[in-house]
Amino acid sequence: MKKRKNIIAMLTAAAMLFAAGCSSFKAQAAEPVTYSVIYSSETPEGEYRADTSEFEDPDFYRELYYMKESIKDGDLVVIYYDGSLDSAPVLDLGNVHLSNLTLRQSDDISIVNAGHIDECFLLAGTSSVINSDISTAYVYDAITCNLNKNVQELRLSFVDADEMHSDINCMGVVEHFTAASEAYTRYDLYHFEAGSFSLLSGDLSTPEEKYSKTPSASAPQPTPVPPSSSETTGSASAPSAEYDHVPKTGNTSPAIWLLCTSLLCIGGYAGLKRSKIL
């Protein structure tokens, strides 16, 4: 009877250990969420919809207050603005680290505040002020933009070099600037001093002593050529690369190993008891 009670006690402990392992190891990082934000004369305070990057019926949108309560690091934001307001809309996201910000439509100036942006897509025809450090800004000619913090990579894509019209100013440093089409590279420059970068109607007006024509030995190497504007929609809804290394549901859980270890212990314990009895 005593032997049976000991085995039952061991099985109960193993079950409790397995349950604790399941509850601990099932926790995983939340997937990034894409928010589409709409500004217009009908929605001057802005509204949003989660899990989509496309403009849809605004009757199904919610107030921005709820988005600001739930947005987290790694999420994506897509902005639409038809230019119908008397003053520029301001999307203030505090210190949130966005994996992607895309301006799909901005017929007048849109202002965005964020802690950091990994990839910023400014599509042709948009006007904006971005108050955030940016890892890579993809610009599709022609745009108007003030980048008020540091930019690691600034990449302007155009179709015809004789018809570049973008106006871009940066108040921070720009580590690497390229302006290129599929067939021709007009600018490929490095290490712009803080507040010196200025592109007016497609022409760089920064004095040559304020930037370098070659990368330094310690400078990061350029990343691949940016996607075309037709591919940007897919990029806007793609999860950030930082999530690739997070264990996903379906990975072998350490709880299984705990259970196997517990069963081995029980088997060993039973074997020892049997050998003592014999």
Side-chain angles (χ1 to χ4, degrees), residues 5-261:
K5 287 183 177 180
N6 287 336
I7 293 176
I8 292 174
M10 292 291 289
L11 287 171
T12 301
M16 293 176 66
L17 184 61
F18 177 70
C22 287
S23 62
S24 299
F25 293 108
K26 277 185 179 178
Q28 54 184 299
E31 291 295 325
V33 177
T34 299
Y35 296 95
S36 60
V37 177
I38 309 299
Y39 290 101
S40 69
S41 58
E42 296 179 356
T43 59
E45 300 300 322
E47 292 184 330
Y48 81 97
R49 189 170 183 180
D51 299 315
T52 180
S53 61
E54 299 296 329
F55 179 85
E56 298 178 30
D57 189 341
D59 291 341
F60 294 96
Y61 280 69
R62 303 185 68 192
E63 296 177 1
L64 278 181
Y65 167 82
Y66 298 102
M67 186 189 88
K68 293 178 181 179
E69 288 289 308
S70 59
I71 196 168
K72 63 184 183 303
D73 291 346
D75 284 345
L76 304 86
V77 173
V78 183
I79 296 176
Y80 297 84
Y81 171 45
D82 65 7
S84 60
L85 301 179
D86 292 334
S87 59
V90 180
L91 179 59
D92 190 352
L93 300 177
N95 291 321
V96 168
H97 184 144
L98 297 176
S99 65
N100 183 302
L101 172 71
T102 299
L103 260 69
R104 290 283 299 273
Q105 176 187 355
S106 182
D107 297 338
D108 203 343
I109 296 175
S110 296
I111 301 173
V112 181
N113 304 330
H116 188 93
I117 301 170
D118 291 334
E119 294 184 310
C120 184
F121 292 87
L122 305 177
L123 303 196
T126 60
S127 300
S128 60
V129 175
I130 310 296
N131 298 309
S132 173
D133 289 325
I134 299 172
S135 295
T136 306
Y138 298 102
V139 176
Y140 299 93
D141 196 55
I143 68 148
T144 299
C145 183
N146 272 9
L147 305 171
N148 286 338
K149 292 190 178 182
N150 299 325
V151 179
Q152 190 69 28
E153 292 275 342
L154 176 56
R155 302 181 176 191
L156 171 63
S157 297
F158 59 85
V159 176
D160 188 340
D162 294 328
E163 296 182 0
M164 283 178 56
H165 301 296
S166 287
D167 294 313
I168 307 172
N169 291 287
C170 183
M171 299 303 295
V173 300
V174 175
E175 285 297 332
H176 185 208
F177 168 59
T178 58
S181 65
E182 292 184 358
Y184 170 69
T185 297
R186 181 170 180 180
Y187 295 115
D188 187 6
L189 305 170
Y190 300 85
H191 316 310
F192 287 80
E193 295 181 11
S196 68
F197 184 90
S198 181
L199 191 74
L200 301 176
S201 297
D203 293 323
L204 187 67
S205 60
T206 305
E208 288 191 7
E209 63 271 17
K210 299 290 187 179
Y211 62 84
S212 172
K213 295 183 179 180
T214 58
S216 65
S218 60
Q221 295 301 310
T223 49
V225 175
S228 65
S229 57
S230 62
E231 296 172 335
T232 313
T233 301
S235 299
S237 59
S240 174
E242 65 188 87
Y243 288 86
D244 293 344
H245 303 293
V246 177
K248 304 296 191 299
T249 303
N251 287 359
T252 302
S253 172
I256 302 299
W257 296 105
L258 289 174
L259 177 61
C260 293
T261 303

